[in-house]
Amino acid sequence: MHYRIQTTKTQQFINITSKVADEVKKSNIRDGIAVIYVPHTTAGVTINENADPDVVRDMISMLDKTYPVLGEYLHLEGNSHAHIKASLMGSSCTVIIRDGKLMLGTWQGIYFCEFDGPRNREFYVKIISG
Ligand code: ZN
């Protein structure tokens, strides 16, 4: 399934867990994997804590300290920091499905990671039986 998402900040983590869980439910697949894929070079996807929103805020702020928006980059577009952060998070995540449910830990959520927004973005969810 293809999803469109409108990000609203320059850097932002958006919890997309419920969209992936809905996709698993619709598929009727009991055992398999869910692949979440982000086709962008300045946005990514990661799994991390869903309980305390300060965790993702800390992740953004520490990524920003390590790879500041303004740095000694060569890339003329001026968004090298976003390319680096997107690669660190990765462009896909895989979650095991067992008994029709995502095997995420209690505190885990799936996040779309925007690093060069706000923009119209997209991601894909593929459910594979096995
Ligand atoms: Zn660029």
Side-chain angles (χ1 to χ4, degrees):
M1 176 63 88
H2 178 223
Y3 289 92
R4 292 187 189 285
I5 190 167
Q6 170 68 57
T7 60
T8 56
K9 296 178 183 167
T10 53
Q11 300 190 66
Q12 175 179 27
F13 280 32
I14 297 171
N15 192 330
I16 58 170
T17 311
S18 62
K19 287 179 166 49
V20 181
D22 286 349
E23 204 60 43
V24 172
K25 209 177 275 178
K26 275 193 276 173
S27 76
N28 285 321
I29 287 170
R30 306 295 300 163
D31 287 282
I33 55 171
V35 178
I36 304 97
Y37 176 69
V38 171
H40 298 292
T41 60
T42 55
V45 63
T46 194
I47 294 173
N48 216 298
E49 173 153 338
N50 62 13
D52 180 0
D54 279 344
V55 171
V56 292
R57 282 189 214 123
D58 283 346
M59 287 176 72
I60 290 170
S61 90
M62 291 314 289
L63 281 167
D64 225 32
K65 266 198 180 142
T66 312
Y67 304 101
V69 173
L70 299 174
E72 290 177 28
Y73 306 114
L74 298 176
H75 180 46
L76 290 175
E77 197 185 8
N79 61 356
S80 275
H81 74 98
H83 289 292
I84 294 166
K85 291 165 187 164
S87 271
L88 286 171
M89 295 301 102
S91 57
S92 69
C93 276
T94 306
V95 182
I96 290 173
I97 300 163
R98 191 194 295 161
D99 295 329
K101 286 190 179 146
L102 291 168
M103 287 290 95
L104 290 168
T106 306
W107 309 113
Q108 286 184 314
I110 305 165
Y111 288 91
F112 182 96
C113 310
E114 174 65 84
F115 295 113
D116 195 25
R119 288 189 193 221
N120 289 310
R121 298 293 204 177
E122 53 191 331
F123 63 93
Y124 294 86
V125 178
K126 183 83 174 174
I127 310 297
I128 301 163
S129 178

mmCIF file of all heavy atoms in Angstrom, residues 1 4-6 8-9 11 18 22 24 29 33-35 44 46-47 63 67 72-73 77 84 91 100 107-108 112:
data_model
loop_
_atom_site.group_PDB
_atom_site.id
_atom_site.type_symbol
_atom_site.label_atom_id
_atom_site.label_comp_id
_atom_site.label_asym_id
_atom_site.label_seq_id
_atom_site.Cartn_x
_atom_site.Cartn_y
_atom_site.Cartn_z
ATOM 1 N N MET A 1 0.845 -1.193 0.000
ATOM 2 C CA MET A 1 0.000 0.000 0.000
ATOM 3 C C MET A 1 0.884 1.248 0.000
ATOM 4 O O MET A 1 1.913 1.287 0.656
ATOM 5 C CB MET A 1 -0.914 -0.022 1.232
ATOM 6 C CG MET A 1 -1.786 1.212 1.393
ATOM 7 S SD MET A 1 -2.980 1.506 0.064
ATOM 8 C CE MET A 1 -4.364 0.559 0.651
ATOM 9 N N ARG A 4 0.487 8.664 1.354
ATOM 10 C CA ARG A 4 1.011 10.029 1.242
ATOM 11 C C ARG A 4 0.933 10.662 2.616
ATOM 12 O O ARG A 4 0.005 10.423 3.367
ATOM 13 C CB ARG A 4 0.193 10.833 0.242
ATOM 14 C CG ARG A 4 0.371 10.331 -1.165
ATOM 15 C CD ARG A 4 -0.283 11.213 -2.211
ATOM 16 N NE ARG A 4 -0.252 10.565 -3.509
ATOM 17 C CZ ARG A 4 0.838 10.471 -4.270
ATOM 18 N NH1 ARG A 4 1.979 11.005 -3.875
ATOM 19 N NH2 ARG A 4 0.804 9.842 -5.423
ATOM 20 N N ILE A 5 1.933 11.488 2.901
ATOM 21 C CA ILE A 5 1.991 12.113 4.218
ATOM 22 C C ILE A 5 2.486 13.546 4.029
ATOM 23 O O ILE A 5 3.398 13.792 3.232
ATOM 24 C CB ILE A 5 2.910 11.279 5.157
ATOM 25 C CG1 ILE A 5 2.819 11.720 6.593
ATOM 26 C CG2 ILE A 5 4.338 11.268 4.711
ATOM 27 C CD1 ILE A 5 3.475 10.704 7.544
ATOM 28 N N GLN A 6 1.829 14.476 4.713
ATOM 29 C CA GLN A 6 2.251 15.883 4.651
ATOM 30 C C GLN A 6 2.974 16.198 5.961
ATOM 31 O O GLN A 6 2.350 16.174 7.021
ATOM 32 C CB GLN A 6 1.020 16.789 4.481
ATOM 33 C CG GLN A 6 1.314 18.278 4.638
ATOM 34 C CD GLN A 6 2.182 18.831 3.512
ATOM 35 O OE1 GLN A 6 1.827 18.729 2.353
ATOM 36 N NE2 GLN A 6 3.315 19.423 3.865
ATOM 37 N N THR A 8 4.903 18.750 8.575
ATOM 38 C CA THR A 8 4.565 20.137 8.921
ATOM 39 C C THR A 8 5.745 20.910 9.512
ATOM 40 O O THR A 8 5.621 22.102 9.772
ATOM 41 C CB THR A 8 3.406 20.162 9.937
ATOM 42 O OG1 THR A 8 3.781 19.387 11.081
ATOM 43 C CG2 THR A 8 2.127 19.600 9.328
ATOM 44 N N LYS A 9 6.861 20.211 9.745
ATOM 45 C CA LYS A 9 8.024 20.879 10.332
ATOM 46 C C LYS A 9 9.267 20.572 9.508
ATOM 47 O O LYS A 9 9.268 19.629 8.719
ATOM 48 C CB LYS A 9 8.244 20.400 11.770
ATOM 49 C CG LYS A 9 7.106 20.767 12.693
ATOM 50 C CD LYS A 9 7.356 20.215 14.079
ATOM 51 C CE LYS A 9 6.179 20.525 14.989
ATOM 52 N NZ LYS A 9 6.239 19.768 16.238
ATOM 53 N N GLN A 11 12.049 19.369 10.732
ATOM 54 C CA GLN A 11 12.502 18.058 11.191
ATOM 55 C C GLN A 11 11.441 17.533 12.150
ATOM 56 O O GLN A 11 11.056 18.217 13.095
ATOM 57 C CB GLN A 11 13.860 18.164 11.881
ATOM 58 C CG GLN A 11 14.927 18.725 10.929
ATOM 59 C CD GLN A 11 16.316 18.618 11.501
ATOM 60 O OE1 GLN A 11 16.843 17.542 11.693
ATOM 61 N NE2 GLN A 11 16.926 19.768 11.778
ATOM 62 N N SER A 18 0.044 2.924 13.511
ATOM 63 C CA SER A 18 -1.352 2.499 13.319
ATOM 64 C C SER A 18 -1.654 2.233 11.842
ATOM 65 O O SER A 18 -2.428 1.329 11.519
ATOM 66 C CB SER A 18 -2.320 3.539 13.897
ATOM 67 O OG SER A 18 -2.170 4.760 13.219
ATOM 68 N N ASP A 22 -2.963 -1.324 10.589
ATOM 69 C CA ASP A 22 -4.194 -1.446 9.787
ATOM 70 C C ASP A 22 -3.944 -2.269 8.535
ATOM 71 O O ASP A 22 -4.784 -3.072 8.122
ATOM 72 C CB ASP A 22 -4.703 -0.062 9.363
ATOM 73 C CG ASP A 22 -5.337 0.684 10.526
ATOM 74 O OD1 ASP A 22 -5.560 0.068 11.586
ATOM 75 O OD2 ASP A 22 -5.582 1.901 10.369
ATOM 76 N N VAL A 24 -1.717 -4.608 8.161
ATOM 77 C CA VAL A 24 -1.583 -6.015 8.563
ATOM 78 C C VAL A 24 -2.973 -6.620 8.737
ATOM 79 O O VAL A 24 -3.264 -7.717 8.247
ATOM 80 C CB VAL A 24 -0.768 -6.137 9.871
ATOM 81 C CG1 VAL A 24 -0.799 -7.569 10.406
ATOM 82 C CG2 VAL A 24 0.671 -5.682 9.642
ATOM 83 N N ILE A 29 -3.114 -11.703 6.846
ATOM 84 C CA ILE A 29 -1.940 -12.574 6.948
ATOM 85 C C ILE A 29 -1.610 -12.779 8.426
ATOM 86 O O ILE A 29 -1.519 -11.816 9.191
ATOM 87 C CB ILE A 29 -0.755 -11.979 6.147
ATOM 88 C CG1 ILE A 29 -1.022 -12.155 4.650
ATOM 89 C CG2 ILE A 29 0.567 -12.637 6.556
ATOM 90 C CD1 ILE A 29 -0.058 -11.421 3.748
ATOM 91 N N ILE A 33 5.981 -10.892 7.369
ATOM 92 C CA ILE A 33 6.711 -9.670 7.710
ATOM 93 C C ILE A 33 6.031 -8.464 7.069
ATOM 94 O O ILE A 33 5.375 -8.581 6.036
ATOM 95 C CB ILE A 33 8.201 -9.717 7.266
ATOM 96 C CG1 ILE A 33 8.327 -10.024 5.771
ATOM 97 C CG2 ILE A 33 9.003 -10.688 8.099
ATOM 98 C CD1 ILE A 33 9.756 -9.877 5.242
ATOM 99 N N ALA A 34 6.210 -7.331 7.725
ATOM 100 C CA ALA A 34 5.771 -6.052 7.160
ATOM 101 C C ALA A 34 7.029 -5.263 6.840
ATOM 102 O O ALA A 34 7.922 -5.125 7.690
ATOM 103 C CB ALA A 34 4.915 -5.290 8.161
ATOM 104 N N VAL A 35 7.107 -4.784 5.616
ATOM 105 C CA VAL A 35 8.227 -3.938 5.215
ATOM 106 C C VAL A 35 7.684 -2.527 5.015
ATOM 107 O O VAL A 35 6.683 -2.337 4.318
ATOM 108 C CB VAL A 35 8.877 -4.442 3.905
ATOM 109 C CG1 VAL A 35 10.022 -3.525 3.479
ATOM 110 C CG2 VAL A 35 9.368 -5.870 4.073
ATOM 111 N N GLY A 44 13.472 9.364 6.322
ATOM 112 C CA GLY A 44 13.731 7.950 6.569
ATOM 113 C C GLY A 44 12.657 7.348 7.440
ATOM 114 O O GLY A 44 11.583 7.940 7.640
ATOM 115 N N THR A 46 12.276 4.768 11.138
ATOM 116 C CA THR A 46 12.958 4.072 12.220
ATOM 117 C C THR A 46 11.940 3.587 13.239
ATOM 118 O O THR A 46 10.781 4.017 13.238
ATOM 119 C CB THR A 46 14.012 4.986 12.898
ATOM 120 O OG1 THR A 46 14.878 4.187 13.714
ATOM 121 C CG2 THR A 46 13.365 6.060 13.768
ATOM 122 N N ILE A 47 12.383 2.682 14.094
ATOM 123 C CA ILE A 47 11.555 2.193 15.191
ATOM 124 C C ILE A 47 12.189 2.681 16.486
ATOM 125 O O ILE A 47 13.392 2.494 16.703
ATOM 126 C CB ILE A 47 11.487 0.646 15.178
ATOM 127 C CG1 ILE A 47 10.750 0.161 13.925
ATOM 128 C CG2 ILE A 47 10.800 0.132 16.443
ATOM 129 C CD1 ILE A 47 10.773 -1.351 13.742
ATOM 130 N N LEU A 63 20.787 14.565 16.823
ATOM 131 C CA LEU A 63 21.197 14.417 15.417
ATOM 132 C C LEU A 63 21.595 15.775 14.863
ATOM 133 O O LEU A 63 22.567 15.913 14.111
ATOM 134 C CB LEU A 63 20.051 13.830 14.576
ATOM 135 C CG LEU A 63 19.842 12.327 14.680
ATOM 136 C CD1 LEU A 63 18.503 11.934 14.075
ATOM 137 C CD2 LEU A 63 20.971 11.570 13.996
ATOM 138 N N TYR A 67 25.015 16.698 13.321
ATOM 139 C CA TYR A 67 24.983 17.076 11.903
ATOM 140 C C TYR A 67 24.140 18.344 11.759
ATOM 141 O O TYR A 67 22.970 18.286 11.384
ATOM 142 C CB TYR A 67 24.409 15.941 11.047
ATOM 143 C CG TYR A 67 25.170 14.652 11.245
ATOM 144 C CD1 TYR A 67 24.671 13.647 12.065
ATOM 145 C CD2 TYR A 67 26.410 14.470 10.642
ATOM 146 C CE1 TYR A 67 25.397 12.485 12.281
ATOM 147 C CE2 TYR A 67 27.135 13.318 10.843
ATOM 148 C CZ TYR A 67 26.626 12.322 11.667
ATOM 149 O OH TYR A 67 27.340 11.180 11.882
ATOM 150 N N GLU A 72 29.973 22.473 7.284
ATOM 151 C CA GLU A 72 30.919 22.559 6.166
ATOM 152 C C GLU A 72 30.630 21.464 5.149
ATOM 153 O O GLU A 72 31.388 20.497 5.015
ATOM 154 C CB GLU A 72 32.344 22.467 6.702
ATOM 155 C CG GLU A 72 32.729 23.719 7.481
ATOM 156 C CD GLU A 72 34.127 23.609 8.078
ATOM 157 O OE1 GLU A 72 34.963 22.886 7.504
ATOM 158 O OE2 GLU A 72 34.346 24.234 9.126
ATOM 159 N N TYR A 73 29.505 21.618 4.466
ATOM 160 C CA TYR A 73 29.095 20.632 3.480
ATOM 161 C C TYR A 73 29.392 21.141 2.070
ATOM 162 O O TYR A 73 29.417 22.350 1.838
ATOM 163 C CB TYR A 73 27.587 20.381 3.596
ATOM 164 C CG TYR A 73 27.114 19.995 4.984
ATOM 165 C CD1 TYR A 73 26.278 20.847 5.704
ATOM 166 C CD2 TYR A 73 27.490 18.785 5.565
ATOM 167 C CE1 TYR A 73 25.820 20.493 6.970
ATOM 168 C CE2 TYR A 73 27.042 18.428 6.838
ATOM 169 C CZ TYR A 73 26.204 19.289 7.522
ATOM 170 O OH TYR A 73 25.759 18.946 8.761
ATOM 171 N N GLU A 77 22.752 22.065 -2.661
ATOM 172 C CA GLU A 77 21.341 22.223 -2.326
ATOM 173 C C GLU A 77 21.166 22.710 -0.880
ATOM 174 O O GLU A 77 20.103 23.219 -0.515
ATOM 175 C CB GLU A 77 20.617 20.900 -2.545
ATOM 176 C CG GLU A 77 19.114 21.027 -2.637
ATOM 177 C CD GLU A 77 18.412 19.669 -2.732
ATOM 178 O OE1 GLU A 77 19.064 18.614 -2.583
ATOM 179 O OE2 GLU A 77 17.187 19.689 -2.933
ATOM 180 N N ILE A 84 22.310 13.024 5.424
ATOM 181 C CA ILE A 84 23.062 12.202 6.385
ATOM 182 C C ILE A 84 22.107 11.579 7.409
ATOM 183 O O ILE A 84 22.153 10.380 7.688
ATOM 184 C CB ILE A 84 24.143 13.049 7.085
ATOM 185 C CG1 ILE A 84 25.202 13.496 6.067
ATOM 186 C CG2 ILE A 84 24.775 12.277 8.246
ATOM 187 C CD1 ILE A 84 26.122 14.603 6.557
ATOM 188 N N SER A 91 16.150 3.706 5.068
ATOM 189 C CA SER A 91 14.990 3.915 4.196
ATOM 190 C C SER A 91 13.960 2.800 4.314
ATOM 191 O O SER A 91 12.914 2.856 3.674
ATOM 192 C CB SER A 91 15.438 4.061 2.739
ATOM 193 O OG SER A 91 16.174 2.932 2.354
ATOM 194 N N GLY A 100 -1.210 -12.516 13.308
ATOM 195 C CA GLY A 100 -1.906 -11.360 12.737
ATOM 196 C C GLY A 100 -1.530 -10.029 13.360
ATOM 197 O O GLY A 100 -2.199 -9.021 13.110
ATOM 198 N N TRP A 107 7.087 -0.655 23.997
ATOM 199 C CA TRP A 107 7.454 0.758 23.909
ATOM 200 C C TRP A 107 7.882 1.175 22.518
ATOM 201 O O TRP A 107 8.377 2.284 22.315
ATOM 202 C CB TRP A 107 8.576 1.082 24.916
ATOM 203 C CG TRP A 107 8.246 0.604 26.277
ATOM 204 C CD1 TRP A 107 8.866 -0.399 26.971
ATOM 205 C CD2 TRP A 107 7.193 1.073 27.120
ATOM 206 N NE1 TRP A 107 8.269 -0.588 28.175
ATOM 207 C CE2 TRP A 107 7.244 0.308 28.297
ATOM 208 C CE3 TRP A 107 6.201 2.058 26.988
ATOM 209 C CZ2 TRP A 107 6.332 0.507 29.342
ATOM 210 C CZ3 TRP A 107 5.308 2.254 28.023
ATOM 211 C CH2 TRP A 107 5.387 1.482 29.184
ATOM 212 N N GLN A 108 7.714 0.265 21.549
ATOM 213 C CA GLN A 108 8.178 0.585 20.203
ATOM 214 C C GLN A 108 7.076 1.155 19.306
ATOM 215 O O GLN A 108 5.938 0.665 19.325
ATOM 216 C CB GLN A 108 8.743 -0.672 19.517
ATOM 217 C CG GLN A 108 10.093 -1.097 20.046
ATOM 218 C CD GLN A 108 10.645 -2.279 19.273
ATOM 219 O OE1 GLN A 108 9.940 -3.253 19.017
ATOM 220 N NE2 GLN A 108 11.902 -2.186 18.895
ATOM 221 N N PHE A 112 7.987 7.755 10.730
ATOM 222 C CA PHE A 112 8.459 8.412 9.516
ATOM 223 C C PHE A 112 9.303 9.588 9.978
ATOM 224 O O PHE A 112 8.859 10.386 10.815
ATOM 225 C CB PHE A 112 7.264 8.901 8.677
ATOM 226 C CG PHE A 112 7.675 9.549 7.395
ATOM 227 C CD1 PHE A 112 7.705 8.820 6.218
ATOM 228 C CD2 PHE A 112 8.058 10.880 7.374
ATOM 229 C CE1 PHE A 112 8.117 9.411 5.039
ATOM 230 C CE2 PHE A 112 8.468 11.484 6.201
ATOM 231 C CZ PHE A 112 8.503 10.748 5.029
#
